[in-house]
Amino acid sequence: MIRIAIQAKGRLSEESLELLKEAGIQVDDTKRKFLSQSRSFPAELLFLRDDDIPQAVALGVADIGIVGYNEVLEREQDVEIVDRLGFGPCRISLAVPKTVDYPGLEWFNGKRIATSYPNILGKFLKEKGIDAKISVITGSVEIAPTVGMSDAIFDIVSSGGTLVSNGLKEVEKIVFSEAVVISGRNPDAEKVKVWEQIKFRINAVRDSRNMKYLLMNVPNDRIDEAIAILPAMRSPTILPLAQSGWSSMHSVVAEDVLWDKIELLKEIGAEGILVLS
C-alpha cells in the first residue's frame, strides 16, 4: 500500500484526481474523506492543504505527494522531486501599482513587499542585493498595496487578471511552477516498486493526451508514401483488406499535425479516413 498526498481543494486537486483516475487509481470522490483508499489499486489518498504536503512527505506520513513546485521551494523540506506532471502552470512574480514608472529591481530598495512566499522572496532579494522589507500575508496578498500594507507584492500569477483588477502590473517573473511529484529521500524499496507502476500508468495517460487514433484505407502501391507521412509511435499497422489491392492502415498522430497529415494522405488516394480519440 502506498499513500499519496494531494491537495484537498482547488484546481490542482481536481487535475490530480483526474490524472490518477485515468491511471486506474480511483476513490469515491462523492464521499471524500481526510484519508480515502482506492478501490482499484493498492493506494490511499491523503487530502491536505498544499502547504502541508511537503512536510507530510518529508516526515513519512505520505509516501509521495502531488503539489505545486512553488510549495516545494517555499517549505524547504527534505524531499525529492521524482516527476513533473505538466499541469497547473503558474509563476510567482513581483508586481507593483500600475501607476509606478518601474525602472528595474533597484526600485524595491527600501520598499515593503507583501507575500505568502517569504523564503523564496528572501533568497531572491539576497541574491540580487536588494534591501527590502517582507510582510508575510496568508490571505489576499493582491490587496495589500491598495490598503497601504505594502508598496508591492510577490504572489502567484496565472492569467494576470487578478493583478489588473487590483490596479497592479507584473514587473519581474521569479519562479515558474507546475504540479510535481515528490518523495522522501530514502523511500522503502517496496514503495518505490509501487510508485514505478503508478509512474508508468501516469506517463501512458500523459502520452495519450492530445493524440488521435487514425484509420484509413490505402492503395497497396501507395503504402510506402503513407508510411512516410505518418509518424507512428513505432510504425503504422498495415492490414490487408478483402478487396484486392487495398490495405487498412492504423496509426497514432499528434492532434496539432493531424489535419495536415490527412490532407497529404488524401492526395495519395487514402479513403475511409476515421479519427478516434
Side-chain angles (χ1 to χ4, degrees):
M1 178 75 69
I2 192 169
R3 180 177 289 176
I4 308 169
I6 69 170
Q7 287 184 206
K9 298 178 181 179
R11 181 180 173 186
L12 208 63
S13 172
E14 300 308 317
E15 292 191 66
S16 299
L17 282 170
E18 182 61 28
L19 178 62
L20 292 172
K21 180 180 178 181
E22 289 187 58
I25 304 171
Q26 303 179 38
V27 297
D28 187 353
D29 199 31
T30 61
K31 300 178 181 179
R32 186 180 298 183
K33 305 174 184 177
F34 173 69
L35 189 64
S36 298
Q37 187 168 338
S38 171
R39 306 183 301 272
S40 54
F41 191 84
E44 54 186 7
L45 301 188
L46 178 62
F47 294 94
L48 299 172
R49 281 171 50 104
D50 57 350
D51 49 2
D52 289 334
I53 292 176
Q55 183 179 25
V57 173
L59 292 175
V61 175
D63 300 302
I64 61 174
I66 301 176
V67 68
Y69 176 60
N70 55 299
E71 292 297 338
V72 179
L73 288 181
E74 178 61 26
R75 303 307 155 189
E76 299 181 328
Q77 296 291 323
D78 189 21
V79 298
E80 179 181 4
I81 295 173
V82 295
D83 202 4
R84 294 179 179 271
L85 299 177
F87 62 83
C90 63
R91 56 193 181 273
I92 312 180
S93 300
L94 284 162
V96 302
K98 62 182 180 182
T99 55
V100 169
D101 184 13
Y102 180 70
L105 279 173
E106 65 273 12
W107 181 88
F108 290 98
N109 279 308
K111 299 294 193 299
R112 185 178 296 276
I113 307 171
T115 186
S116 300
Y117 299 94
N119 290 330
I120 297 174
L121 178 58
K123 286 183 178 180
F124 174 76
L125 295 176
K126 185 176 180 180
E127 289 173 2
K128 299 300 182 180
I130 303 298
D131 182 19
K133 298 177 182 178
I134 298 175
S135 293
V136 180
I137 297 178
T138 57
S140 300
V141 175
E142 63 275 1
I143 69 170
T146 302
V147 299
M149 294 179 66
S150 71
D151 301 296
I153 69 168
F154 180 66
D155 200 21
I156 289 282
V157 178
S158 293
S159 66
T162 301
L163 293 181
V164 172
S165 64
N166 285 277
L168 301 171
K169 62 182 179 182
E170 185 178 18
V171 293
E172 301 286 346
K173 300 173 183 177
I174 310 304
V175 171
F176 290 87
S177 181
E178 64 178 313
V180 297
V181 180
I182 58 174
S183 75
R185 291 291 180 181
N186 298 297
D188 177 86
E190 285 301 313
K191 300 293 178 67
V192 171
K193 184 177 180 180
V194 177
W195 158 241
E196 288 300 326
Q197 294 176 23
I198 296 173
K199 185 176 181 179
F200 172 83
R201 295 184 180 198
I202 287 175
N203 287 337
V205 170
R206 288 160 58 189
D207 288 344
S208 72
R209 290 178 174 174
N210 302 317
M211 303 292 283
K212 295 294 183 181
Y213 193 75
L214 188 62
L215 301 85
M216 75 207 75
N217 298 327
V218 181
N220 286 344
D221 60 356
R222 310 303 292 268
I223 286 178
D224 288 343
E225 294 174 77
I227 291 174
I229 292 170
L230 289 177
M233 286 182 167
R234 185 176 295 273
S235 65
T237 299
I238 310 294
L239 302 171
L241 295 181
Q243 182 179 348
S244 178
W246 285 81
S247 293
S248 175
M249 180 177 287
H250 301 201
S251 186
V252 177
V253 183
E255 192 171 18
D256 59 351
V257 299
L258 172 68
W259 298 108
D260 290 337
K261 298 292 184 183
I262 286 177
E263 290 303 318
L264 293 174
L265 291 163
K266 286 166 61 180
E267 289 177 6
I268 65 170
E271 297 179 358
I273 298 172
L274 297 178
V275 178
L276 306 177
S277 297

